[in-house]
């Protein structure tokens, strides 16, 4: 939008400060509106209002429609974005949240000073959520709309931003999706193309992406979060879950061994008195495993079937539970998550997360840790997840409650996607707790299988790899 054609200065000519500025609505005649941050909230004044108005009163006063709200947010985010503190990636971001009480809060990137690679605290969206909670003195805030403008940019001498050309439309990362999920149950998400506030932006509600460079992409909550947090299994799973709970929690129950080519060869190797004669290939495998350390699970390479994978995850689960069994009680719940990833070479890497009250305050999530254990290489074919929640399982077993299988959160899915090659996808397999005796057929019937990309949401690409991509260009 070029405001000069309406006879008023352009927005960027005002050189606004971080906590106040001016926006212009292209009414007839155009209306210049001053905004300022008061008590963390964005308030508005104009010729028609004698005092600062909250966003709800201001919107009602001027009878703003969705397009006019978009025009307003486009200017506000463009004015805020240069005041962000990005890290070395130069990702300047601003996010606005309109609460269900019609109050407006805006924040910018603070990844230079708030560094938390697993919680996304430095992202503008999560930062905006925190500001809103502080301003309203409540953790249970709800937004009716969340706006975002983001791009890789270079700060100019005059304080403005020069956006890199041909980059994706900014969209919420996995950590921010996870943080905002329960605060946006009835919200609209609107991603605005990065610009200096003068672009004539229009709303595009196509669920697969905007149709033009000037289109702001609007998504509803269901499209932003295409999968439920939990999937309920039918009643036939109860006996399996009960057996799995006992298997994991009872120290007297021995973990079932894995079945591999090596274990089979050892059992079948001919004996000569007290000596066992091994084939050279098996001897070489043993030497390699004994001589070199690794963060992978080489046992699964010889038998990568789901029955063996299931037993490996249960071994890790059982070991983690045994380490913390003395601290688990009715008042101190424990949730254990095991993640196993398989790369294109057929190698497996794992991670285990144990989470409980008053335990370690900062724990890397299981999926990023598994990727780290895989040396952050790219290209994975399969991701296996198993979650044990002591309290939830006991409640399910003691009442007429179906077992709810926990799905990976958006933050975990996002980390996996960032370690995929462009165009590749990975199969997601969520296995319920069990006693390790299930057949392949039964495991496949009970497990929930999905696509990592489809579970995360439409058309996500890693912005750092955009130069290697053609379309779609959505971050």
């Amino acid at each position: 939008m070029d405001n000069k054609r309406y006879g008023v200065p352009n927005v960027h000519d005002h050189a606004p400060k971080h906590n106040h500025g001016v926006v212009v609505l292209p009414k007839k005649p155009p209306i210049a509106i001053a905004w300022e941050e008061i008590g963390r909230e964005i308030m508005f004044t104009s010729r028609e209002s004698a005092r600062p108005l909250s966003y709800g009163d201001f919107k009602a006063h001027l009878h703003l429609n969705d397009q006019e709200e978009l025009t307003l947010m486009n200017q506000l985010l463009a004015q805020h974005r240069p005041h962000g503190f990005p890290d070395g990636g130069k990702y300047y971001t601003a996010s606005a949240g309109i609460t269900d009480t019609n109050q407006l809060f805006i924040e910018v990137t603070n990844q230079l000073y708030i560094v938390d690679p697993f919680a996304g605290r430095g992202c503008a969206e999560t930062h905006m959520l925190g500001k809103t909670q502080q301003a309203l003195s409540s953790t249970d805030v709800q937004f009716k709309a969340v706006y975002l403008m983001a791009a890789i940019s270079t700060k100019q001498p005059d304080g403005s931003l020069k956006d890199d050309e041909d980059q994706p439309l900014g969209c919420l990362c996995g950590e921010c999706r996870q943080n905002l999920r329960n605060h946006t149950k009835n919200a609209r998400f609107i991603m605005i193309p990065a610009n200096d506030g003068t672009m004539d932006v229009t709303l595009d509600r196509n669920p697969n992406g905007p149709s033009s460079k000037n289109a702001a992409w609007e998504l509803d909550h269901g499209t932003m979060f295409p999968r439920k947090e939990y999937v309920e299994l039918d009643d036939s799973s109860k006996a399996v879950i009960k057996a799995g709970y006992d298997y994991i929690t009872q120290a007297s129950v021995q973990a079932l061994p894995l079945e591999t080519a090596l274990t089979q060869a050892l059992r079948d190797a001919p004996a000569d008195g007290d000596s066992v004669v091994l084939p050279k290939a098996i001897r070489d495998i043993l030497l390699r495993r004994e001589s070199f350390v690794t963060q992978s699970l080489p046992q699964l390479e010889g038998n990568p079937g789901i029955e063996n994978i299931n037993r490996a995850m249960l071994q890790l689960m059982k070991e983690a539970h045994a380490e913390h069994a003395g601290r688990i009680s009715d008042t101190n719940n424990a949730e254990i998550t095991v993640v196993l990833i398989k790369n294109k070479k057929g190698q497996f890497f794992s991670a285990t997360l144990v989470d409980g009250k008053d335990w370690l305050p900062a724990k890397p999530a299981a999926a990023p840790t598994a990727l780290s254990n895989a040396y952050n290489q790219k290209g994975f074919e399969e991701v296996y997840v198993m979650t044990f929640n002591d309290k939830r399982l006991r409640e399910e077993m003691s009442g007429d409650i179906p077992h709810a299988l926990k799905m990976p959160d958006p933050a975990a899915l996002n980390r996996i996607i960032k370690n995929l090659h462009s165009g590749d996808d990975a199969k997601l397999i969520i296995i319920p707790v069990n006693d390790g005796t299930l057949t392949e057929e039964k495991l496949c019937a009970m497990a929930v299988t999905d696509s990592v990309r489809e579970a995360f949401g439409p058309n996500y690409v890693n912005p750092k790899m955009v130069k290697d991509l053609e379309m779609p260009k959505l971050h």
Side-chain angles (χ1 to χ4, degrees):
M1 180 185 69
D2 186 356
N3 295 321
K4 286 185 177 179
R5 71 186 182 190
Y6 297 109
V8 296
N10 274 324
V11 173
H12 58 267
D13 292 339
H14 292 278
K17 302 297 183 182
H18 181 43
N19 60 352
H20 65 87
V22 176
V23 294
V24 178
L25 286 180
K27 296 273 192 178
K28 293 184 179 180
I31 302 174
I33 302 157
W35 64 266
E36 61 180 322
E37 189 174 73
I38 302 176
R40 298 189 177 96
E41 182 181 353
I42 303 296
M43 309 286 281
F44 299 89
T45 55
S46 65
R47 292 192 304 268
E48 292 77 11
S49 60
R51 58 182 177 81
L53 299 176
S54 69
Y55 180 71
D57 292 339
F58 166 74
K59 183 177 180 178
H61 184 68
L62 292 181
H63 307 288
L64 299 184
N65 58 33
D66 285 353
Q67 178 59 47
E68 290 169 332
E69 178 177 285
L70 173 63
T71 300
L72 176 70
M73 296 301 166
N74 180 51
Q75 296 179 51
L76 285 171
L77 295 185
Q79 292 181 23
H80 275 79
R81 205 164 62 93
H83 300 284
F85 299 100
D87 57 14
K90 298 181 180 180
Y91 207 63
Y92 284 88
T93 306
S95 180
I98 303 172
T99 68
D100 58 358
T101 55
N102 289 308
Q103 294 168 276
L104 175 63
F105 299 89
I106 299 179
E107 258 303 349
V108 295
T109 309
N110 192 9
Q111 292 175 327
L112 185 62
Y113 301 109
I114 301 178
V115 180
D116 189 331
F118 302 109
R121 289 188 301 150
C123 295
E125 307 94 295
T126 296
H127 207 185
M128 179 273 294
L129 169 62
K131 172 185 278 189
T132 306
Q133 291 171 322
Q134 291 174 349
L136 302 181
S137 300
S138 172
T139 57
D140 188 26
V141 300
Q142 285 293 324
F143 296 100
K144 60 197 305 184
V146 174
Y147 286 83
L148 175 68
M149 183 185 292
I152 297 172
S153 312
T154 303
K155 182 71 76 70
Q156 302 301 297
D158 64 356
S160 64
L161 297 179
K162 180 180 180 182
D163 300 323
D164 290 2
E165 296 181 2
D166 196 29
Q167 58 181 308
L169 179 66
C171 193
L172 279 74
C173 71
E175 285 80 4
C176 289
R177 293 185 194 210
Q178 179 177 341
N179 293 338
L180 286 172
R181 181 173 197 155
N182 293 324
H183 299 281
T184 54
K185 295 176 181 178
N186 298 298
R188 304 154 54 226
F189 296 87
I190 304 95
M191 282 65 70
I192 304 176
N195 69 98
D196 65 358
T198 63
M199 178 186 288
D200 281 319
V201 289
T202 58
L203 282 174
D204 191 332
R205 296 183 172 95
N206 181 358
N208 295 316
S211 56
S212 72
K213 291 184 177 181
N214 286 18
W217 191 27
E218 180 178 326
L219 299 177
D220 59 20
H221 187 273
T223 306
M224 182 66 76
F225 303 96
R227 300 296 186 267
K228 296 179 179 179
E229 292 184 80
Y230 291 88
V231 172
E232 291 186 356
L233 302 183
D234 59 38
D235 289 342
S236 65
S237 68
K238 283 203 167 186
V240 173
I241 303 303
K242 173 65 167 62
Y245 183 88
D246 293 340
Y247 175 86
I248 291 169
T249 59
Q250 294 181 9
S252 60
V253 178
Q254 296 296 311
L256 293 174
L258 303 184
E259 292 292 340
T260 71
L262 180 58
T263 59
Q264 185 67 43
L266 290 173
R267 279 195 295 267
D268 296 343
D272 182 11
D274 292 334
S275 301
V276 176
V277 180
L278 295 177
K280 180 178 183 301
I282 299 301
R283 186 197 66 185
D284 291 344
I285 292 174
L286 287 172
L287 282 172
R288 186 166 64 252
R289 291 183 181 179
E290 290 297 318
S291 303
F292 300 98
V293 297
T294 178
Q295 296 191 88
S296 67
L297 285 77
Q299 301 92 329
L300 293 179
E301 294 178 36
N303 182 358
I306 192 170
E307 293 181 48
N308 230 27
I309 291 169
N310 179 52
R311 288 192 178 188
M313 298 179 78
L314 285 168
Q315 282 190 18
L316 294 169
M317 185 78 73
K318 190 172 177 65
E319 180 182 8
H321 184 275
E323 291 292 334
H324 297 83
R327 305 179 64 186
I328 301 172
S329 66
D330 290 340
T331 58
N332 193 9
N333 185 36
E335 182 171 279
I336 306 172
T337 303
V338 174
V339 172
L340 208 80
I341 59 174
K342 177 186 176 185
N343 66 13
K344 293 185 175 182
K345 301 175 184 177
Q347 298 171 309
F348 289 81
F349 302 87
S350 71
T352 304
L353 170 67
V354 183
D355 198 1
K357 180 183 177 183
D358 298 328
W359 296 5
L360 284 175
K363 314 172 194 66
T369 304
L371 293 168
S372 178
N373 289 342
Y375 311 107
N376 280 315
Q377 59 182 284
K378 288 190 176 293
F380 294 94
E381 292 182 336
E382 297 169 357
V383 180
Y384 296 85
V385 181
M386 182 184 292
T387 300
F388 170 97
N389 186 302
D390 188 83
K391 180 180 179 182
R392 178 180 285 273
L393 287 171
R394 284 189 284 107
E395 289 175 347
E396 290 173 349
M397 290 185 295
S398 63
D400 188 20
I401 305 172
H403 178 59
L405 200 57
K406 186 176 182 180
M407 299 294 103
D409 58 50
L413 296 174
N414 194 180
R415 295 287 170 174
I416 295 166
I417 291 173
K418 287 186 175 183
N419 281 66
L420 296 176
H421 292 295
S422 60
D424 285 353
D425 200 353
K427 183 188 292 186
L428 183 63
I429 304 100
I430 302 96
I431 302 176
V433 296
N434 62 91
D435 66 356
T437 63
L438 298 182
T439 64
E440 178 180 355
E441 181 181 8
K442 184 67 173 178
L443 280 168
C444 291
M446 290 189 67
V448 173
T449 303
D450 206 342
S451 153
V452 169
R453 290 190 185 275
E454 290 180 10
F456 183 73
N459 293 337
Y460 180 90
V461 298
N462 184 352
K464 296 178 181 178
M465 297 179 62
V466 137
K467 294 181 180 178
D468 301 328
L469 300 174
E470 293 181 1
M471 286 295 288
K473 293 184 179 299
L474 300 174
H475 160 228

